[in-house]
Structure formats: structure tokens, C-alpha cells
Amino acid sequence: MRAHRVPLGFVFRSRAKEEKAPADKAAVTDSKQTRDPQAPKGRPTPKRSEAQTQRRSVANTPTTRKEASKRNRDDRRAAMERQRQALANGDERYLPARDKGPVRKFARDFVDSRFCIAEFFLPLAVLILVLSMVRVGSLQNIALLLWLVVILLIVVDSIGIAIRLKKQLSTRYPDLPRKGAVAYALMRTLQMRRLRLPKPQVKRGERP
């Protein structure tokens, strides 16, 4: 029988090529990729400001319920202090929601720029109460009459303020919601000027 010769060169050369091909492909593939040499695992190195912000946020994160409660109390206290200062100086950023906006600001200025009979209601009410407690018929009658006059004057003055303010708001802010602004202004007239919050930002007689 004739023995069939197996070409040994074919066997060894094919295995060498198969082992060499993946290495060559990997080398070519790696050479085409652009990667930051300082970036681990292919991710870009964060900027210093971003890294500091991340470290600061991690450091400020409360780890226990007690710390979280203390942080919430401090935040509420700081918010209340900002709101108190805003009520004193009229800073729109920290005012309560009911006082924010140009419509509410104009309503406040409209009321603060004039004398309102309703702002004297409290001292007049105290005076009338004292007169009514005196056991003199004439003084009690005067107190009752004065009470009726004060109520009537407040109603008439409030109606005039509501009409003029509504007209001004319609002219100045036709595209903004004005619901509740007139009632907001009338409630402000019932407070004495020095006790109003937010504090008046205009003088009497000054046009808002």
C-alpha cells in the first residue's frame, strides 16, 4: 500500500496564521480608538469643579434620620428668615405666594399711596367701645351714631378704591390674571399702615 503524505507545512502554517490573525486585528482595532490616557475605563475625567461639587454633595448628605431632621429644621428656619426679610424690604424672590407678582405689588402700592378710612377702623372701634361703656345716655347715643357713620364711610371708601383699582389693573395688566387682587387690596386697607406686611414701599401721595 502507498502511504499518503500529509503536508506538514500546511498544518503548522495554518495554525500560526489563525493565532496571528486575532492579534493583528486587535492591534489594528486598538490603534484606531482615541482614548484619554488619564481616563479610567474609557470614561472622561470629570472637571475639577464637577468633582468638587460631587464631593461636597456627598459630604452634605445626611447619613442618619437625626441629621436629616436637623437639616430640614435648619432649611425651614432659613426660609422663614428670608421670608421675614422679604416682607420687610419687598424682595419679590422670597415673598409668600399670595404676595408675589406685579399685580399684587401694584395693589399694595395703590393702597399704600393714599389715606384709607378703613385703616383707622381699629382705633375708632376702641373709642366707640369706650364711649358705649360710659353710663351716660347722650354719650351712648353718640357712640352708636359714630359707629354707623364709620361703617358707612368705610363701605363707600372701599367701593371707590375697588372701582379705581380694578380699572387701573385692567389698563396696566390686561394679560395677567387679576383674580383676588381687589379683595387683597381691600384687606390691606383694614390694617394700619405701620403694621402692614409686606412693608409699604411708596409714600402717601406718591403715584404707584
Side-chain angles (χ1 to χ4, degrees), residues 80-91 94-96 98-99 188 196-201:
M80 291 178 64
E81 178 61 22
R82 288 194 300 266
Q83 189 177 102
R84 186 187 66 80
Q85 294 179 0
L87 290 172
N89 56 31
D91 191 347
Y94 305 114
L95 286 177
R98 68 182 181 88
D99 298 314
R188 190 173 177 84
R196 292 172 183 171
L197 292 175
K199 293 290 186 181
Q201 302 297 313

Side-chain angles (χ1 to χ4, degrees), residues 1-204:
M1 298 178 60
R2 297 181 62 182
H4 294 284
R5 298 175 60 185
V6 179
L8 299 178
F10 173 78
V11 176
F12 290 111
R13 188 169 64 180
S14 62
R15 292 183 61 186
K17 288 183 179 180
E18 289 176 359
E19 292 176 357
K20 188 178 180 181
D24 294 339
K25 185 181 294 185
V28 173
T29 304
D30 292 340
S31 64
K32 291 182 180 180
Q33 292 180 351
T34 59
R35 177 177 173 269
D36 189 351
Q38 297 180 355
K41 298 181 181 181
R43 294 192 296 270
T45 302
K47 296 181 180 179
R48 178 177 297 179
S49 60
E50 296 177 355
Q52 291 177 353
T53 302
Q54 293 176 359
R55 287 195 298 269
R56 193 177 297 113
S57 63
V58 171
N60 293 335
T61 302
T63 57
T64 64
R65 180 178 298 180
K66 185 176 181 180
E67 291 180 359
S69 300
K70 184 178 183 299
R71 179 71 56 80
N72 291 334
R73 286 196 302 270
D74 293 341
D75 292 343
R76 288 195 299 268
R77 190 177 296 113
M80 291 178 64
E81 178 61 22
R82 288 194 300 266
Q83 189 177 102
R84 186 187 66 80
Q85 294 179 0
L87 290 172
N89 56 31
D91 191 347
E92 285 281 332
R93 294 175 299 172
Y94 305 114
L95 286 177
R98 68 182 181 88
D99 298 314
K100 283 186 177 181
V103 174
R104 297 299 174 98
K105 184 180 186 306
F106 180 80
R108 291 195 301 271
D109 294 343
F110 185 87
V111 169
D112 297 336
S113 65
R114 64 193 66 234
F115 282 96
C116 303
I117 299 176
E119 67 181 287
F120 304 106
F121 172 77
L122 185 59
L124 288 175
V126 173
L127 177 61
I128 294 171
L129 180 61
V130 171
L131 290 177
S132 64
M133 293 177 63
V134 177
R135 295 186 176 279
V136 177
S138 59
L139 291 179
Q140 290 181 348
N141 293 333
I142 292 174
L144 179 60
L145 181 61
L146 185 60
W147 181 259
L148 295 176
V149 171
V150 169
I151 295 297
L152 180 62
L153 290 176
I154 290 176
V155 170
V156 173
D157 188 48
S158 298
I159 292 175
I161 291 174
I163 293 174
R164 291 193 297 270
L165 177 59
K166 190 174 182 179
K167 183 178 179 180
Q168 290 281 344
L169 291 176
S170 300
T171 303
R172 291 172 179 256
Y173 308 102
D175 300 328
L176 294 180
R178 303 182 298 275
K179 183 178 180 180
V182 174
Y184 171 79
L186 293 179
M187 289 297 296
R188 190 173 177 84
T189 62
L190 293 172
Q191 303 169 351
M192 299 181 67
R193 181 182 173 87
R194 67 180 62 185
L195 301 178
R196 292 172 183 171
L197 292 175
K199 293 290 186 181
Q201 302 297 313
V202 296
K203 298 179 180 179
R204 293 191 191 271

